Amino acid sequence: QTQLLGVLLAAASNFLISVSLNIQKCAHLRLVCQAEQKPYYTSKLWWCGITLLGLGEVGNFTAYGFAPIALVAPLGCVSVIGCAFISVFFLKKTMRTADILGGTLTITGIYLLVTFAPNVPQELTARQVQNYLVSWPFLVYSILEIIIFCILLYFYKSKSVKHIMVLLMMVALLASLTVIAVKAVSSMIALSVKGKMQLTYSVFYIMIVLMATSCAFQIKFLNQAMHLYEATAVVPINFVFFTISATISGVIFYREFQSAALLSVFMFLFGCLLSFLGVIIIARNKKEEHLQVPFIDCGHIPGQKLTGKIQPDSHSSCYGTLNKEDDSVKRQS
């Protein structure tokens, strides 16, 4: 019953997040269409979206205290399919065949996840968390994760490698620490509310620091990926990496599949695979929305050759570019 509450809370929270994202997008589009441009934070609609986003994140945080990480993390796909279907009403988008197919696969995957998820006690005391922190499986896992993260960070900093896989792998490695800390903090707060005080243990505050630090760096690298690449590429890859990383951390740290039957493990993994496929199909070939902006760039340095495009391409290969052989144009530039 406690686990079912966590599932419902996670699903409802991710649905709220999808609604909030669509409301924020709608608010931005309305502001752009207005004659008098105003900051987005003056819009009541935008603040409504932010409020729903905050409620959704709080709900997700609470869900970790009632359900396993391996179950809560994959339910993030609810926000992806929610965005696809809710955007039809908020943003007047057209429902695609890919959305229906992807949504069907994702919902089937969610059903398998919920049915075959590990059924383990969710009341985690501070002493249990302390024992998990010094267990040899987690220590080996932590060392491997630190080594992999340092290698990726070396390529990112020294070699300036900002490939989408490198960025999102670092996000996933940090996310595994975030979900471990979130579950520990959420569980200890839930027990304290019930009367079993856990907030006097130092491990509670260690987990809060770990949660805040890993989350901050996770947002940094995720924002970098969103800046360099299209959201249609970042969203599905990030969901897959995050789910795999979070599930592995839950298995190693909290031993969530320790007594699960082989068939349950197989069906759970099959449910994850269906969810991955559904999210990828929904995001695949989805057009990005861009605001209408002038194509002419007035920021060229005087004296430089202007051979770039200054208006949209036509059928002609030279349409929209300045003629390199025209000396008078060069002098004017």
Side-chain angles (χ1 to χ4, degrees):
Q1 188 176 1
T2 303
Q3 187 164 304
L4 179 60
L5 176 61
V7 170
L8 294 175
L9 194 56
S13 299
N14 282 292
F15 180 75
L16 273 182
I17 291 173
S18 64
V19 173
S20 73
L21 293 176
N22 278 278
I23 288 177
Q24 289 178 66
K25 183 69 174 178
C26 184
H28 283 296
L29 291 176
R30 284 188 181 181
L31 288 171
V32 167
C33 295
Q34 290 179 0
E36 183 184 353
Q37 296 298 315
K38 296 180 180 180
Y40 60 88
Y41 51 80
T42 60
S43 170
K44 293 180 180 179
L45 188 62
W46 183 82
W47 280 108
C48 178
I50 287 295
T51 303
L52 290 178
L53 180 63
L55 290 174
E57 293 298 347
V58 170
N60 258 334
F61 174 84
T62 309
Y64 280 104
F66 295 99
I69 291 175
L71 183 54
V72 176
L75 287 176
C77 63
V78 172
S79 63
V80 178
I81 61 173
C83 278
F85 288 92
I86 294 171
S87 62
V88 176
F89 302 99
F90 277 97
L91 305 177
K92 307 301 179 184
K93 291 186 178 180
T94 305
M95 179 68 67
R96 306 176 304 158
T97 305
D99 294 332
I100 298 172
L101 176 60
T104 304
L105 287 174
T106 307
I107 291 170
T108 306
I110 290 172
Y111 173 77
L112 293 176
L113 288 172
V114 174
T115 305
F116 295 98
N119 190 8
V120 292
Q122 296 306 312
E123 286 195 351
L124 291 167
T125 63
R127 292 191 179 277
Q128 284 177 306
V129 174
Q130 287 175 347
N131 293 333
Y132 289 151
L133 276 173
V134 295
S135 63
W136 70 264
F138 178 68
L139 292 177
V140 172
Y141 172 74
S142 300
I143 293 170
L144 289 174
E145 186 172 273
I146 290 170
I147 292 172
I148 295 171
F149 185 82
C150 288
I151 293 172
L152 293 172
L153 192 62
Y154 168 76
F155 282 105
Y156 173 78
K157 288 286 188 183
S158 300
K159 303 295 183 180
S160 296
V161 177
K162 292 179 172 60
H163 192 274
I164 187 172
M165 293 297 181
V166 173
L167 290 169
L168 294 184
M169 280 183 69
M170 288 195 290
V171 171
L173 291 172
L174 290 167
S176 66
L177 298 177
T178 303
V179 294
I180 287 173
V182 165
K183 183 169 179 62
V185 172
S186 180
S187 299
M188 285 188 275
I189 289 176
L191 280 177
S192 299
V193 171
K194 292 178 182 178
K196 302 175 183 178
M197 181 54 64
Q198 305 292 314
L199 308 187
T200 55
Y201 291 88
S202 59
V203 69
F204 173 76
Y205 301 97
I206 292 172
M207 283 299 183
I208 286 181
V209 172
L210 178 63
M211 178 179 68
T213 306
S214 60
C215 189
F217 283 101
Q218 183 183 336
I219 292 171
K220 170 183 164 39
F221 292 119
L222 186 58
N223 282 337
Q224 177 93 51
M226 290 294 288
H227 177 69
L228 295 175
Y229 301 95
E230 300 284 359
T232 52
V234 175
V235 170
I237 296 173
N238 183 58
F239 170 70
V240 172
F241 281 5
F242 169 78
T243 303
I244 292 173
S245 179
T247 303
I248 291 174
S249 65
V251 169
I252 293 175
F253 190 86
Y254 293 109
R255 305 165 190 176
E256 293 182 342
F257 282 95
Q258 191 172 22
S259 58
L262 184 61
L263 178 62
S264 297
V265 175
F266 174 79
M267 294 304 292
F268 178 86
L269 294 176
F270 184 62
C272 285
L273 180 61
L274 289 180
S275 299
F276 294 162
L277 286 174
V279 170
I280 291 170
I281 289 172
I282 290 173
R284 185 172 175 267
N285 295 330
K286 202 167 187 178
K287 293 180 180 179
E288 288 284 318
E289 291 188 8
H290 299 283
L291 298 177
Q292 296 296 323
V293 294
F295 283 84
I296 297 177
D297 184 6
C298 300
H300 288 292
I301 301 173
Q304 298 293 323
K305 294 180 180 180
L306 298 181
T307 58
K309 296 176 182 177
I310 59 170
Q311 50 183 290
D313 288 329
S314 179
H315 298 292
S316 172
S317 60
C318 64
Y319 180 79
T321 60
L322 292 177
N323 191 352
K324 294 182 181 179
E325 287 74 25
D326 192 346
D327 293 331
S328 64
V329 174
K330 291 182 181 179
R331 286 193 297 269
Q332 290 176 5
S333 67

